[in-house]
Amino acid sequence: MPANTFGQLFRITTFGESHGTALGVTIDGCPAGLALDLEQIQNELNRRKPGQSKIVTQRKEPDEFEILSGFFEGKTTGTPIALLFRNKEQRSKDYSHIKDKYRPSHADFTWQEKFGHRDYRGGGRSSARETVARVAAGAIAKQLLALQNISVQAYVSQVGTLKLNTPYQDLDLSKTEDNPVRCPDPEMAAKMEQLIREVRKDGDTIGGITQCVIKGLPIGLGEPVFDKLHADLAKAMMSINAAKGFEYGSGFEGVLMRGSQHNDRFIQNEQGRIITKSNHSGGIQGGISNGMDVYFKVAFKAVATIMQDQQSVDKDGKEVTVSGKGRHDPCVLPRAVPIVEAMAALTIVDHLLRARGNKI
Amino acid sequence: MPANTFGQLFRITTFGESHGTALGVTIDGCPAGLALDLEQIQNELNRRKPGQSKIVTQRKEPDEFEILSGFFEGKTTGTPIALLFRNKEQRSKDYSHIKDKYRPSHADFTWQEKFGHRDYRGGGRSSARETVARVAAGAIAKQLLALQNISVQAYVSQVGTLKLNTPYQDLDLSKTEDNPVRCPDPEMAAKMEQLIREVRKDGDTIGGITQCVIKGLPIGLGEPVFDKLHADLAKAMMSINAAKGFEYGSGFEGVLMRGSQHNDRFIQNEQGRIITKSNHSGGIQGGISNGMDVYFKVAFKAVATIMQDQQSVDKDGKEVTVSGKGRHDPCVLPRAVPIVEAMAALTIVDHLLRARGNKI
Amino acid sequence: MPANTFGQLFRITTFGESHGTALGVTIDGCPAGLALDLEQIQNELNRRKPGQSKIVTQRKEPDEFEILSGFFEGKTTGTPIALLFRNKEQRSKDYSHIKDKYRPSHADFTWQEKFGHRDYRGGGRSSARETVARVAAGAIAKQLLALQNISVQAYVSQVGTLKLNTPYQDLDLSKTEDNPVRCPDPEMAAKMEQLIREVRKDGDTIGGITQCVIKGLPIGLGEPVFDKLHADLAKAMMSINAAKGFEYGSGFEGVLMRGSQHNDRFIQNEQGRIITKSNHSGGIQGGISNGMDVYFKVAFKAVATIMQDQQSVDKDGKEVTVSGKGRHDPCVLPRAVPIVEAMAALTIVDHLLRARGNKI
Amino acid sequence: MPANTFGQLFRITTFGESHGTALGVTIDGCPAGLALDLEQIQNELNRRKPGQSKIVTQRKEPDEFEILSGFFEGKTTGTPIALLFRNKEQRSKDYSHIKDKYRPSHADFTWQEKFGHRDYRGGGRSSARETVARVAAGAIAKQLLALQNISVQAYVSQVGTLKLNTPYQDLDLSKTEDNPVRCPDPEMAAKMEQLIREVRKDGDTIGGITQCVIKGLPIGLGEPVFDKLHADLAKAMMSINAAKGFEYGSGFEGVLMRGSQHNDRFIQNEQGRIITKSNHSGGIQGGISNGMDVYFKVAFKAVATIMQDQQSVDKDGKEVTVSGKGRHDPCVLPRAVPIVEAMAALTIVDHLLRARGNKI
């Protein structure tokens, strides 16, 4: 039942609880000789960290990391790279008020039933804090991808009913980081920010959608049958807390199209490369990248922790009131962006290494 | 890069090409002592097989299987169960006309680039015929689930724009097999059938959505972090040919809801069991089943093979015309139903075995 | 608990019982484009098969194989290669006399206790017949190795007390196949053959040792820490029926040496390559191949089936007599040679593919 | 190529270099609810640590560990248990003198060739210091085994030519820890100690053999075919630095016996349990434990680091002298005992969890 490992050849194993001593990640399979940019890792962590803007949780977690191994004289050595994140405030707080209560739509109940014994402090290992390890590992994956001119860019395309209909090709993705919502359209971003503020004022939370685009992929990534590139991306995305749906290329809307409309015509471009004219396939055919952009969407539900009283039960089934407390995200989307990118980068790097064995 | 294996403890490995000698599957990890019902395996295969109705491909593949191992005196022995499917018509046909052409939205191009050498006959291993192995293995998984009163039921809920809006709870799922579309609502089924006939007459194809419901799950299946139950279901579903999207519980629509609406309140039912009043969570919280129904949707695009002339290129990039030929499905949905069920059953059985190690 | 798979990137999964319908193997991860020599596969199978000489079992198993997939126009396609071996005589025989008896030093008792239900005919899956699948897969591995000028050669170096003390460097290994014992020293081979005949006449069996040499390995195969090249070779060898011990390089005798004697001095040879002057390391340092010959020994015990009456118990613990019956090997060594080679080749090919990801 | 993970269901991943920031281990798959005894972990680490006696290296490594996760209110939670070991003296020392030199029989050369870039300080990750992570994880495995009355006991049975011929049954294994050699026979222990002192005085090193006995195993551990219990034990043992050979039960000497001598007769004991009268099988038949003691031997070569000048080459192939320096073990055997036990315990626990899925 070990389940804290992701990837086959570029393989990460994460550990740690939200309010335990530390979280961390071991990356096994990173090739030797990569000149690691530690600052870039911290930059990615800063994009994920709480307190970075007014519309995310105001908790203070510096999210500084320490590199413990696999790194020598500025380069990776081919041995496991371990990164450590100390929890700063774990000791002090009192969690006895939720110890035996099952918060609605949290993992309290299922963990208690599954394991019999759990760390209830701040959600334990089911806390979103766990993603700090993913983002750091993803930052290393991104550095490997950058060597091959592969980029992974995500942004928020929907918050509640506010939906950005512009296709990603017509957006200037370099503007994604210009606003706290991480929506590259400034006007829409302003509306989304306004909505999130309102929702927070109500003590409530709201969901949304993240879009992600991967450019520069070589042809041939992804394995036929079970480990199709989009199947592994789907698993990667759905493993993120609060994810409820995944679609790539034409996605759910694609079901409305007829084959004659949906099929992507092959043509030869001016450089003599074979490309497709349209890209309903989302850059993947038969589970294998075809050299076009890979793009997909991930739906996230509203955060379960709200600042309102809710009815629930305790472990004995007795009715109790759960009160909203603490500093939480009114909307997970802005901070989901670097996490989506990290999981996508990890998936792609793994398939890059796997593809090394296709031919004699 | 081995990628023809699915599952960790109940692990299937499939092999075979559409027009090669045979396809097959090895199931490793099936516990000993299961009284296998071979007829039920054939029944599931019959639900998947071509030629079963007027709205699916009229190819003739009997899809009979032979059991080669792991089965003795009517029961499984705990050793690998191998099932074999002979291809009957593989030798005769001439495929030289598509040998070097890249059919639009097929896997011809990506396979050629990835492997350098491929079996181009009838799609080779990227053919939907590969799912015969999944359905047979899934039939065995279903028999294990039945021992624990777990059922897996899928049906077609949308074809093109024709969408069944009734929630699954209000449908009589026992009617799913009453019509060739596999939609449990007879009226909608008739409309869908009509639409598929029209699309076929146009030499075209159309997409749709399959819904699946899993009932009777114990609490505690699924692993936190990467191997969340819905993440593994997402991968399982997205590994099916033509799948474009996956959502569970409230899904993409759930992003519109606020936390106060989306949260599922815990209550104690009359039997003293803790359940949730609503089920936006789709039976999974924190990646772990909570005892409620698990339900999800899978979007399938229109089949790429159409009976119309299409422009494309050959392996040298030269423009060519690809003509529609052969007997193909105008809509993949009716035959997708048993495949979705099979992949769901395989995922659940694997997690059932994995859950045996949670506690001391 | 799936346990019928060997290898990580060149991964074989075997199935089948001695007296079931068929045995087989699926090879997943063989690169595309290998021009397979099917005859060479059959040749290896012939080296393993019963009845090939007077000193092995006289059972008649033709051991012909059928290739089912992954092979097209003379070359591998990168998809799983499935090989099938039909059992010819499985139906007829009566095994009820041993159904409930536990034969001494066989796996009857442990299988019954582990699985509760087992195929008792001819040992079921614990029969040495299972190795037919290994030898066929190993033959394909050998063909991949041959492309890189890597050879794997095993021979019998000891039968009972008859021990060949000549180091492998001083033997002409091309003579191994010249005699039925597979010992490259003709005189010793004659003595061994004589001993095996005597043992058989006594209705008894005898053990021995196989030596194996791998030449032409590139530097850098094997992974530090757990997957050391010799650790994976050890597991491969010890997974063969009747294996009792493994040693490589200086082996057990090496414990007598002092570090100053055992250390292999590095020198530069005439071609400018760094080599070691002695090779007590057995071609592996720190778990990684250093370019020198890899050599190791495997000890096999006497076959458990003897042609004598033995006392034992049945499943209820009642005392019974087990009578020797059937046609069995008086000494497993001659037929172990191709099996040892196959498992070694599979291990090396797997590490060759794994090594593709070491550096950026 | 990730290779720093051991085990399938009780899975450890280790990281860290001898002179890097820290070493550590993540244990994934430890069931929830185990009341961990942290002191016992430290005790096992103390048995492994340098400086514990006059006949081992006099380096000072306190080997204190910090538990980072997976542990709450005194019990395991079913999430990964991470243990951290800080390196204390890593910064100070100068290793430039060996940076480009290849020490005889060390892993310098093979690592450099394999990875291109390596941490040369103190052997980096190929240092025996890596076993600190194994011993700590093994200590947790032992606690799980103790709940089922399974014990794992190793001892030194040979140093150089000094060989203890008494079978383990006739030894009082509780005396193993009474002397620094870890040989339970006091007289032999004294001789061994004397020999090791002499060897050290010569600036040399010496090899030896460790014997290990596992008592209390249930029937049914180990999987047929590839993951035989002794095959996994062999891999576990051969993955320890300096290991050259492995044998179990009758081992290499068993090849001298005839089948009629070697076969273990089944009998029913007074309690009605089926046991074997002799135990040449070493407690394993067909790869599966039969309830008798499992026992095996591991051969270790002399440590490569000697306090003498040796000729070698540098990375350019130029002849250089390597001088012995630092504090090293004259004989690895005394400290190998807890490592052998740890790897055995990890192997057994993994198979205990795997066996949970054998039957319906």
Side-chain angles (χ1 to χ4, degrees):
Chain A
M1 72 252 118
N4 297 281
T5 293
F6 183 82
Q8 300 208 1
L9 295 188
F10 191 93
R11 200 186 296 186
I12 69 168
T13 302
T14 69
F15 61 84
E17 277 76 36
S18 170
H19 287 65
T21 303
L23 293 99
V25 60
T26 306
I27 302 158
D28 196 6
C30 183
L34 173 68
L36 263 193
D37 180 347
L38 301 184
E39 214 170 305
Q40 184 259 0
I41 301 175
Q42 189 62 56
N43 288 347
E44 291 292 332
L45 288 168
N46 292 346
R47 293 174 74 206
R48 194 213 73 96
K49 91 173 165 191
Q52 62 182 279
S53 79
K54 294 288 176 201
I55 59 167
V56 302
T57 171
Q58 298 303 302
R59 269 198 315 279
K60 276 193 195 97
E61 290 164 1
D63 284 351
E64 281 157 9
F65 73 94
E66 185 183 14
I67 187 162
L68 301 176
S69 63
F71 180 65
F72 182 61
E73 297 179 339
K75 285 193 278 188
T76 59
T77 59
T79 62
I81 303 165
L83 302 175
L84 191 71
F85 308 87
R86 292 268 167 197
N87 289 319
K88 302 286 178 184
E89 309 181 83
Q90 78 268 23
R91 60 235 106 67
S92 48
K93 237 168 116 195
D94 182 16
Y95 282 91
S96 54
H97 64 293
I98 57 157
K99 185 182 165 179
D100 296 327
K101 287 180 184 175
Y102 294 143
R103 291 169 297 161
S105 286
H106 273 85
D108 306 334
F109 170 64
T110 50
W111 276 67
Q112 184 63 37
E113 291 287 318
K114 184 180 185 73
F115 294 112
H117 178 64
R118 71 189 165 94
D119 182 346
Y120 47 77
R121 298 169 301 168
R125 185 146 174 75
S126 68
S127 162
R129 178 143 175 72
E130 175 267 333
T131 56
V132 74
R134 305 186 185 206
V135 168
I140 294 176
K142 279 184 174 181
Q143 296 185 29
L144 275 166
L145 295 181
L147 292 180
Q148 309 214 23
N149 295 314
I150 302 168
S151 68
V152 178
Q153 290 170 285
Y155 61 90
V156 175
S157 66
Q158 186 168 347
V159 173
T161 53
L162 294 171
K163 186 177 175 180
L164 183 66
N165 286 309
T166 323
Y168 77 86
Q169 296 90 336
D170 301 338
L171 293 168
D172 179 356
L173 298 188
S174 72
K175 291 188 177 163
T176 301
E177 296 297 311
D178 290 355
N179 59 71
V181 184
R182 293 204 166 87
C183 172
D185 180 293
E187 271 179 69
M188 180 53 88
K191 284 187 208 165
M192 287 171 169
E193 187 175 346
Q194 184 55 29
L195 173 59
I196 296 172
R197 284 173 184 272
E198 283 166 27
V199 165
R200 189 183 51 186
K201 211 170 290 165
D202 297 345
D204 216 334
T205 57
I206 186 81
I209 290 178
T210 298
Q211 170 112 13
C212 184
V213 192
I214 307 171
K215 289 169 186 280
L217 277 189
I219 305 169
L221 300 198
E223 301 294 327
V225 191
F226 299 113
D227 296 355
K228 292 183 162 84
L229 190 58
H230 55 269
D232 280 349
L233 284 168
K235 167 152 182 177
M237 295 307 138
M238 296 306 288
S239 79
I240 302 173
N241 278 0
K244 298 294 286 188
F246 170 89
E247 61 176 25
Y248 83 105
S250 61
F252 275 87
E253 303 230 327
V255 309
L256 307 174
M257 298 168 83
R258 295 206 171 189
S260 55
Q261 302 167 296
H262 194 282
N263 281 354
D264 294 318
R265 183 179 162 186
F266 286 109
I267 56 170
Q268 197 171 29
N269 73 3
E270 286 157 19
Q271 290 79 41
R273 259 188 61 200
I274 294 172
I275 61 169
T276 63
K277 221 173 155 179
S278 53
N279 186 16
H280 299 117
S281 298
I284 303 172
Q285 289 173 327
I288 303 167
S289 63
N290 67 0
M292 305 297 290
D293 292 351
V294 167
Y295 62 97
F296 58 84
K297 285 184 186 165
V298 191
F300 290 96
K301 71 177 177 93
V303 173
T305 305
I306 59 177
M307 296 301 107
Q308 302 177 3
D309 279 3
Q310 294 178 92
Q311 290 311 104
S312 188
V313 299
D314 65 12
K315 72 182 167 68
D316 302 317
K318 241 179 35 200
E319 284 213 20
V320 292
T321 299
V322 175
S323 303
K325 246 187 162 180
R327 294 153 296 174
H328 292 277
D329 285 288
C331 178
V332 85
L333 271 295
R335 292 176 61 207
V337 166
I339 302 169
V340 163
E341 289 182 6
M343 292 308 296
L346 289 165
T347 306
I348 298 300
V349 159
D350 193 34
H351 276 284
L352 266 175
L353 291 180
R354 292 176 72 179
R356 293 189 178 187
N358 294 330
K359 298 175 199 162
I360 290 183
Chain B
M1 71 254 117
N4 298 280
T5 293
F6 182 83
Q8 300 209 1
L9 295 188
F10 192 92
R11 202 186 295 186
I12 70 168
T13 301
T14 68
F15 61 85
E17 278 75 35
S18 169
H19 287 63
T21 303
L23 294 100
V25 60
T26 306
I27 302 158
D28 197 5
C30 184
L34 173 68
L36 264 193
D37 180 346
L38 300 183
E39 215 170 303
Q40 183 260 359
I41 300 177
Q42 190 61 57
N43 288 346
E44 291 292 332
L45 289 167
N46 292 346
R47 295 173 73 206
R48 191 213 76 97
K49 91 173 164 191
Q52 62 183 279
S53 78
K54 292 289 176 199
I55 57 167
V56 303
T57 172
Q58 298 302 301
R59 269 197 316 278
K60 279 194 191 96
E61 292 162 0
D63 285 352
E64 282 158 6
F65 72 95
E66 185 184 14
I67 187 162
L68 301 176
S69 63
F71 181 65
F72 183 61
E73 297 180 337
K75 286 192 280 188
T76 59
T77 59
T79 63
I81 302 165
L83 303 175
L84 191 71
F85 308 86
R86 292 268 166 198
N87 289 320
K88 301 286 177 182
E89 309 181 83
Q90 79 270 23
R91 63 236 104 66
S92 50
K93 239 168 118 194
D94 183 16
Y95 282 92
S96 55
H97 63 292
I98 57 157
K99 185 181 164 178
D100 295 328
K101 287 181 183 174
Y102 294 143
R103 291 169 297 160
S105 287
H106 273 86
D108 305 335
F109 170 64
T110 50
W111 276 67
Q112 185 62 38
E113 292 285 320
K114 184 180 184 74
F115 294 112
H117 177 65
R118 73 189 164 94
D119 182 347
Y120 46 77
R121 298 168 302 169
R125 185 147 172 77
S126 68
S127 163
R129 178 142 176 72
E130 175 267 333
T131 55
V132 75
R134 305 187 187 205
V135 168
I140 294 176
K142 278 184 175 181
Q143 295 185 30
L144 274 166
L145 294 181
L147 292 180
Q148 309 213 22
N149 295 315
I150 301 169
S151 68
V152 179
Q153 289 169 286
Y155 61 90
V156 175
S157 66
Q158 185 167 349
V159 174
T161 51
L162 293 172
K163 187 176 176 181
L164 182 65
N165 286 309
T166 323
Y168 77 87
Q169 296 92 334
D170 300 338
L171 293 168
D172 179 355
L173 299 187
S174 72
K175 291 187 178 164
T176 301
E177 296 297 309
D178 290 356
N179 58 72
V181 185
R182 293 205 166 88
C183 172
D185 179 293
E187 271 180 68
M188 180 54 89
K191 286 187 207 166
M192 287 171 169
E193 188 175 345
Q194 184 56 30
L195 173 59
I196 296 172
R197 284 172 184 273
E198 282 167 27
V199 164
R200 189 183 51 186
K201 212 169 292 166
D202 297 344
D204 216 333
T205 57
I206 187 80
I209 291 177
T210 298
Q211 169 113 15
C212 185
V213 193
I214 308 170
K215 289 170 187 278
L217 278 188
I219 305 169
L221 299 199
E223 300 293 327
V225 190
F226 298 113
D227 296 356
K228 292 182 162 84
L229 190 58
H230 55 268
D232 279 350
L233 284 169
K235 167 152 182 177
M237 296 306 139
M238 297 305 288
S239 79
I240 302 173
N241 279 359
K244 300 294 285 188
F246 170 89
E247 61 176 25
Y248 83 104
S250 60
F252 274 88
E253 303 229 329
V255 309
L256 306 174
M257 298 168 83
R258 297 205 169 188
S260 54
Q261 302 167 294
H262 195 283
N263 282 353
D264 294 318
R265 181 178 163 187
F266 284 110
I267 55 171
Q268 197 172 29
N269 73 1
E270 284 157 20
Q271 290 78 42
R273 261 188 61 201
I274 294 173
I275 61 170
T276 64
K277 219 172 157 180
S278 54
N279 186 15
H280 300 117
S281 298
I284 303 173
Q285 290 173 327
I288 302 166
S289 64
N290 68 359
M292 304 297 290
D293 291 352
V294 167
Y295 62 98
F296 59 84
K297 284 184 187 164
V298 190
F300 292 95
K301 72 176 176 91
V303 174
T305 305
I306 59 177
M307 295 303 106
Q308 302 178 3
D309 279 4
Q310 296 177 91
Q311 290 311 102
S312 187
V313 300
D314 66 11
K315 71 182 168 66
D316 302 317
K318 238 177 39 197
E319 285 214 19
V320 292
T321 299
V322 175
S323 302
K325 247 187 161 179
R327 295 154 295 175
H328 291 276
D329 287 287
C331 178
V332 86
L333 273 293
R335 292 176 62 208
V337 166
I339 302 168
V340 163
E341 288 181 6
M343 292 307 296
L346 289 165
T347 306
I348 298 300
V349 158
D350 193 35
H351 276 284
L352 266 175
L353 290 180
R354 293 176 73 179
R356 291 188 179 186
N358 294 329
K359 300 177 199 163
I360 291 184
Chain C
M1 74 251 112
N4 297 279
T5 293
F6 182 84
Q8 300 209 359
L9 295 188
F10 192 93
R11 202 187 295 187
I12 70 167
T13 302
T14 68
F15 61 85
E17 278 75 36
S18 170
H19 287 65
T21 302
L23 294 99
V25 60
T26 306
I27 302 158
D28 197 4
C30 183
L34 173 68
L36 264 193
D37 181 345
L38 301 184
E39 215 171 304
Q40 184 257 1
I41 301 175
Q42 189 61 56
N43 289 347
E44 291 291 333
L45 288 168
N46 292 346
R47 294 175 72 206
R48 192 213 76 96
K49 92 173 164 192
Q52 62 182 280
S53 78
K54 293 288 177 199
I55 58 165
V56 303
T57 170
Q58 298 302 304
R59 270 197 315 279
K60 277 193 191 96
E61 292 162 0
D63 285 352
E64 281 156 9
F65 72 95
E66 185 184 13
I67 186 161
L68 300 176
S69 63
F71 181 66
F72 182 60
E73 296 180 338
K75 286 193 280 189
T76 59
T77 58
T79 62
I81 302 165
L83 303 175
L84 191 71
F85 308 87
R86 292 268 167 199
N87 289 319
K88 302 285 179 184
E89 310 181 81
Q90 79 270 23
R91 60 240 103 69
S92 50
K93 236 168 119 195
D94 183 17
Y95 282 93
S96 54
H97 64 292
I98 57 157
K99 185 181 165 178
D100 296 327
K101 287 181 184 173
Y102 294 144
R103 291 169 296 162
S105 287
H106 274 85
D108 306 335
F109 170 65
T110 51
W111 278 67
Q112 185 62 38
E113 292 285 319
K114 184 180 183 74
F115 294 113
H117 177 63
R118 71 189 167 95
D119 182 347
Y120 47 77
R121 298 169 302 170
R125 186 148 173 74
S126 68
S127 163
R129 178 143 176 71
E130 176 266 333
T131 55
V132 76
R134 304 186 186 207
V135 168
I140 294 177
K142 278 185 175 180
Q143 295 186 28
L144 275 165
L145 294 181
L147 292 180
Q148 309 214 24
N149 296 314
I150 301 168
S151 69
V152 179
Q153 289 170 287
Y155 61 91
V156 174
S157 65
Q158 185 167 348
V159 174
T161 51
L162 292 172
K163 186 176 176 183
L164 182 66
N165 286 310
T166 324
Y168 77 87
Q169 297 92 332
D170 301 336
L171 293 168
D172 179 355
L173 298 187
S174 72
K175 292 189 177 162
T176 301
E177 297 296 311
D178 290 355
N179 59 70
V181 184
R182 294 204 166 87
C183 172
D185 181 293
E187 270 179 70
M188 181 55 88
K191 285 187 208 163
M192 288 172 169
E193 188 175 345
Q194 184 54 31
L195 174 58
I196 297 172
R197 284 172 184 272
E198 284 166 24
V199 164
R200 190 183 50 187
K201 211 170 293 168
D202 297 344
D204 216 332
T205 58
I206 187 81
I209 291 178
T210 298
Q211 169 113 16
C212 185
V213 192
I214 308 170
K215 288 170 187 279
L217 278 188
I219 305 169
L221 299 198
E223 301 292 329
V225 190
F226 299 115
D227 296 355
K228 291 183 163 83
L229 190 57
H230 55 267
D232 280 349
L233 284 169
K235 167 152 180 175
M237 296 307 139
M238 297 305 288
S239 79
I240 302 172
N241 279 0
K244 300 295 286 189
F246 171 89
E247 61 176 23
Y248 84 105
S250 59
F252 275 88
E253 302 230 328
V255 309
L256 306 175
M257 299 168 83
R258 296 207 170 189
S260 55
Q261 301 167 294
H262 194 283
N263 281 354
D264 293 318
R265 181 177 163 187
F266 286 110
I267 56 171
Q268 197 171 29
N269 73 1
E270 284 156 21
Q271 290 79 41
R273 260 188 61 201
I274 294 173
I275 60 169
T276 63
K277 221 174 156 179
S278 54
N279 185 16
H280 300 118
S281 298
I284 303 172
Q285 289 173 326
I288 303 167
S289 64
N290 67 0
M292 305 298 289
D293 292 352
V294 168
Y295 62 98
F296 59 84
K297 285 184 187 164
V298 191
F300 291 95
K301 72 176 177 93
V303 174
T305 305
I306 58 177
M307 295 302 107
Q308 303 178 4
D309 279 2
Q310 296 177 90
Q311 290 310 104
S312 188
V313 299
D314 65 13
K315 72 184 166 66
D316 302 317
K318 239 177 40 199
E319 284 215 19
V320 292
T321 298
V322 176
S323 302
K325 245 186 164 181
R327 294 153 296 176
H328 291 276
D329 287 287
C331 178
V332 86
L333 273 295
R335 293 176 63 207
V337 166
I339 302 168
V340 163
E341 288 181 3
M343 292 308 296
L346 290 165
T347 306
I348 298 300
V349 159
D350 193 36
H351 276 284
L352 267 175
L353 291 179
R354 292 177 73 179
R356 292 188 178 187
N358 294 330
K359 299 176 198 162
I360 291 183
Chain D
M1 73 252 114
N4 298 279
T5 294
F6 183 84
Q8 300 209 1
L9 294 187
F10 192 93
R11 202 186 295 187
I12 69 167
T13 301
T14 68
F15 61 84
E17 278 75 37
S18 169
H19 287 63
T21 303
L23 294 100
V25 60
T26 306
I27 302 158
D28 197 4
C30 183
L34 174 67
L36 264 193
D37 180 346
L38 300 184
E39 214 170 305
Q40 183 259 1
I41 301 176
Q42 190 60 57
N43 288 347
E44 291 293 331
L45 288 168
N46 292 347
R47 294 174 72 205
R48 193 212 76 95
K49 91 174 166 190
Q52 62 182 281
S53 77
K54 293 289 176 199
I55 57 166
V56 303
T57 171
Q58 299 302 304
R59 271 198 313 281
K60 278 194 191 93
E61 291 161 1
D63 286 352
E64 281 157 9
F65 72 95
E66 184 183 14
I67 187 161
L68 300 176
S69 62
F71 180 66
F72 183 60
E73 297 180 336
K75 285 193 280 189
T76 59
T77 59
T79 63
I81 302 165
L83 303 175
L84 191 71
F85 308 87
R86 294 269 167 199
N87 289 320
K88 302 285 178 184
E89 310 181 81
Q90 79 269 24
R91 62 239 106 65
S92 49
K93 235 167 121 194
D94 183 18
Y95 281 92
S96 54
H97 64 291
I98 57 157
K99 184 181 166 179
D100 296 327
K101 287 182 184 173
Y102 294 143
R103 291 169 297 161
S105 287
H106 274 85
D108 306 336
F109 170 65
T110 50
W111 276 67
Q112 184 63 35
E113 291 287 317
K114 184 179 185 75
F115 294 113
H117 177 66
R118 71 188 166 95
D119 182 346
Y120 47 77
R121 298 168 302 168
R125 184 144 174 76
S126 68
S127 163
R129 176 141 177 73
E130 176 266 334
T131 55
V132 73
R134 304 186 187 206
V135 169
I140 294 176
K142 279 185 175 180
Q143 296 185 29
L144 275 165
L145 295 181
L147 293 180
Q148 309 213 24
N149 295 314
I150 302 168
S151 69
V152 179
Q153 289 169 287
Y155 61 90
V156 175
S157 66
Q158 186 167 349
V159 173
T161 51
L162 293 172
K163 186 177 175 183
L164 183 65
N165 286 309
T166 323
Y168 77 85
Q169 296 91 333
D170 301 336
L171 292 168
D172 179 356
L173 299 186
S174 72
K175 291 189 177 162
T176 301
E177 297 296 312
D178 290 355
N179 59 70
V181 184
R182 294 205 165 86
C183 172
D185 180 293
E187 269 179 69
M188 180 55 86
K191 284 186 208 164
M192 288 171 169
E193 188 175 345
Q194 184 55 29
L195 174 59
I196 296 173
R197 285 172 184 272
E198 282 165 27
V199 165
R200 189 182 53 186
K201 212 170 289 168
D202 297 344
D204 216 333
T205 56
I206 188 80
I209 291 177
T210 298
Q211 169 112 15
C212 184
V213 192
I214 308 171
K215 290 169 185 278
L217 278 189
I219 305 168
L221 299 198
E223 300 292 327
V225 191
F226 299 114
D227 296 355
K228 291 182 164 83
L229 190 58
H230 55 267
D232 280 349
L233 284 169
K235 167 152 180 173
M237 296 307 138
M238 296 305 289
S239 78
I240 302 173
N241 279 0
K244 299 294 285 189
F246 170 88
E247 61 176 23
Y248 83 105
S250 61
F252 275 87
E253 303 230 329
V255 310
L256 306 175
M257 299 167 83
R258 297 206 168 188
S260 56
Q261 301 168 295
H262 194 283
N263 282 354
D264 294 317
R265 181 179 165 186
F266 285 109
I267 55 170
Q268 196 171 30
N269 73 2
E270 284 157 20
Q271 291 78 44
R273 263 187 60 201
I274 293 172
I275 61 170
T276 63
K277 221 174 154 179
S278 55
N279 185 16
H280 299 119
S281 298
I284 303 173
Q285 289 173 328
I288 303 166
S289 64
N290 68 0
M292 304 297 290
D293 291 352
V294 168
Y295 62 98
F296 59 84
K297 284 184 188 165
V298 191
F300 291 95
K301 72 175 176 93
V303 174
T305 305
I306 57 176
M307 296 301 107
Q308 302 178 4
D309 279 3
Q310 295 177 91
Q311 288 313 103
S312 188
V313 300
D314 66 13
K315 72 184 166 64
D316 301 317
K318 238 177 40 197
E319 284 215 21
V320 292
T321 299
V322 175
S323 302
K325 245 187 163 180
R327 294 154 294 177
H328 291 277
D329 286 288
C331 178
V332 86
L333 272 294
R335 291 177 62 209
V337 166
I339 303 168
V340 164
E341 289 180 3
M343 292 307 296
L346 289 165
T347 306
I348 298 300
V349 158
D350 194 33
H351 276 283
L352 265 176
L353 290 180
R354 293 176 74 179
R356 292 188 179 188
N358 293 330
K359 299 177 200 163
I360 290 184

